[in-house]
Amino acid sequence: MDQNNAILLCVTKLREEEQRIVDHLADLGIQVQVNLDSMDLPLGLADAQPLGLALIRCLSQKNALNRSQLLELAGLDTLNSNKAITICTNKIHQAIVFEKHGVPQPQFRIAFTPRKLFDALQEFGELCVIKPATSSWGRGIARITGKECLEGWIAARESVDPAHQSFPVLVQEYVEKGDYDIRVVIVGRTPIAAFRRVSAENWKTNTHLGAEVEPLAINEEIAAISEQLVEVLGEGIYGADLFFDYKQLRYVVCEVNQNPEFAKSWKIHGVDVAWHIAHYVKDVLTQKNKVKQKNKTKLLVKS
Ligand SMILES: Nc1ncnc2c1ncn2[C@@H]1O[C@H](COP(=O)(O)OP(=O)(O)O)[C@@H](O)[C@H]1O
Ligand SMILES: [Mg+2]
């Protein structure tokens, strides 16, 4: 293997979508060393590495975070960067960072104690959404429709978490978003595809919970928000969840995922996400090689 054209692919298992990325990479002459969650990481000297980059697609957010951190410490760049994964795998981190950079998002509070939840509920007009800091696929996300509902939520939690170790949690205003949210797939710096996730039955519009995919054109506002997200998180591969807030008449960012799944959706919107990822990986490798070459030349000139 040669650093210029070999990558490490960290996965829980090689699913259809990762296999498609591997196939496109092979077409581009890039070799892939598959690294399952159960395997050791190659953490040897960076210069002796036969790998130019690690693509992180672990299913567990915790594994993604751990693996990218260890690899970056060892000198192997990861896609996404450890910084991006750190922000994206924690909804509270995201809220803070987006606030700092003026990314439009639902109003939120970070509740460090159950008591604070009552204040937030009142501030948001007796309707809000509570989110654990780390979750995905809609798990643990609860819509609170009043004081009694909140008391029920707290009581249910107390039995399994009497010391409230799962605090702080994120509380957001409930956004009047119609029966859909919008998923934007970003690769590199570019929003390559967007679609509505529509659900008549469930206010949580995750496709895992049964929402239907409807292709959507990327308008100027969606493109501008995507650009802003790339500025904040750095280039990478992202699935941004947006709402069109029908009360405020503007787009807001619900959350950004660091490992967007696309196996089902791409067959409906028709954009080959795996192809874009493979080409982006190639671009990053080429760029890294150019920098390395430049540094080598500089060293030669100096000596
Ligand atoms: N503040 C909110 N207002 C209205 N709907 C929300 C809000 N937050 C989340 N949702 C709904 O719940 C879904 C899951 O929330 P999200 O924050 O994306 O968590 P997950 O990581 O589990 O996907 C969203 O896709 C959306 O349909
Ligand atoms: Mg989501």
Side-chain angles (χ1 to χ4, degrees):
M1 281 199 189
D2 153 14
Q3 267 198 334
N4 303 344
N5 64 2
I7 68 153
L8 188 73
L9 175 62
C10 294
V11 286
T12 305
K13 56 181 182 177
L14 206 59
R15 299 171 299 175
E16 182 190 328
E17 51 203 321
E18 280 84 27
Q19 187 57 58
R20 202 172 167 81
I21 299 173
V22 173
D23 292 345
H24 281 304
L25 285 169
D27 291 346
L28 295 169
I30 297 170
Q31 296 175 56
V32 175
Q33 182 178 316
V34 173
N35 183 273
L36 302 177
D37 291 345
S38 54
M39 291 162 73
D40 288 349
L41 284 174
L43 298 172
L45 277 180
D47 285 346
Q49 270 290 355
L51 301 157
L53 188 72
L55 179 62
I56 310 283
R57 289 198 56 94
C58 307
L59 276 186
S60 138
Q61 309 223 52
K62 213 169 150 191
N63 281 347
L65 191 57
N66 281 339
R67 289 178 111 65
S68 71
Q69 187 174 29
L70 296 180
L71 288 166
E72 276 199 2
L73 286 172
L76 186 65
D77 285 349
T78 64
L79 243 187
N80 291 319
S81 70
N82 182 246
K83 177 194 152 199
I85 296 179
T86 304
I87 299 171
C88 292
T89 51
N90 187 307
K91 290 180 175 32
I92 294 178
H93 290 187
Q94 290 195 31
I96 295 169
V97 171
F98 291 167
E99 171 96 339
K100 182 165 105 185
H101 292 277
V103 175
Q105 63 179 326
Q107 287 187 67
F108 72 93
R109 299 285 177 271
I110 300 164
F112 286 81
T113 60
R115 209 172 46 84
K116 289 286 176 193
L117 293 171
F118 289 98
D119 300 343
L121 176 66
Q122 203 186 13
E123 282 177 78
F124 296 146
E126 301 303 310
L127 182 63
C128 69
V129 178
I130 300 181
K131 303 183 178 188
T134 55
S135 68
S136 50
W137 298 343
R139 276 190 302 219
I141 310 268
R143 180 166 61 170
I144 305 295
T145 50
K147 198 162 165 268
E148 235 174 78
C149 179
L150 179 55
E151 282 163 357
W153 185 91
I154 292 171
R157 292 279 286 244
E158 260 167 0
S159 56
V160 285
D161 180 19
H164 303 303
Q165 284 180 340
S166 46
F167 276 76
V169 294
L170 183 71
V171 190
Q172 286 180 339
E173 65 172 319
Y174 182 79
V175 176
E176 297 298 343
K177 64 183 191 298
D179 61 358
Y180 69 93
D181 72 356
I182 297 164
R183 166 57 62 92
V184 186
V185 184
I186 298 170
V187 178
R189 310 190 66 87
T190 316
I192 58 161
F195 51 94
R196 283 196 172 120
R197 304 187 299 181
V198 187
S199 181
E201 280 101 50
N202 197 341
W203 66 274
K204 288 192 247 184
T205 52
N206 300 73
T207 40
H208 276 277
L209 300 177
E212 298 291 331
V213 169
E214 285 180 8
L216 181 73
I218 297 168
N219 62 24
E220 269 176 30
E221 288 143 299
I222 294 176
I225 288 193
S226 305
E227 202 181 316
Q228 200 178 3
L229 288 175
V230 171
E231 282 305 312
V232 172
L233 298 169
E235 277 188 23
I237 299 159
Y238 302 109
D241 294 347
L242 313 185
F243 300 140
F244 184 73
D245 181 339
Y246 281 94
K247 262 195 189 155
Q248 308 270 336
L249 297 179
R250 63 169 194 160
Y251 290 91
V252 290
V253 178
C254 165
E255 64 148 355
V256 180
N257 298 274
Q258 49 86 30
N259 183 18
E261 296 178 317
F262 55 85
K264 278 191 204 151
S265 50
W266 89 270
K267 289 174 191 153
I268 300 168
H269 59 66
V271 177
D272 191 347
V273 177
W275 184 94
H276 284 272
I277 292 177
H279 278 75
Y280 176 51
V281 166
K282 188 181 165 65
D283 290 348
V284 174
L285 279 177
T286 309
Q287 198 52 38
K288 280 167 65 72
N289 285 328
K290 268 191 200 154
V291 173
K292 229 188 273 163
Q293 208 49 49
K294 229 183 185 173
N295 289 344
K296 254 191 203 164
T297 320
K298 263 192 208 158
L299 275 179
L300 279 178
V301 171
K302 267 191 188 165
S303 59

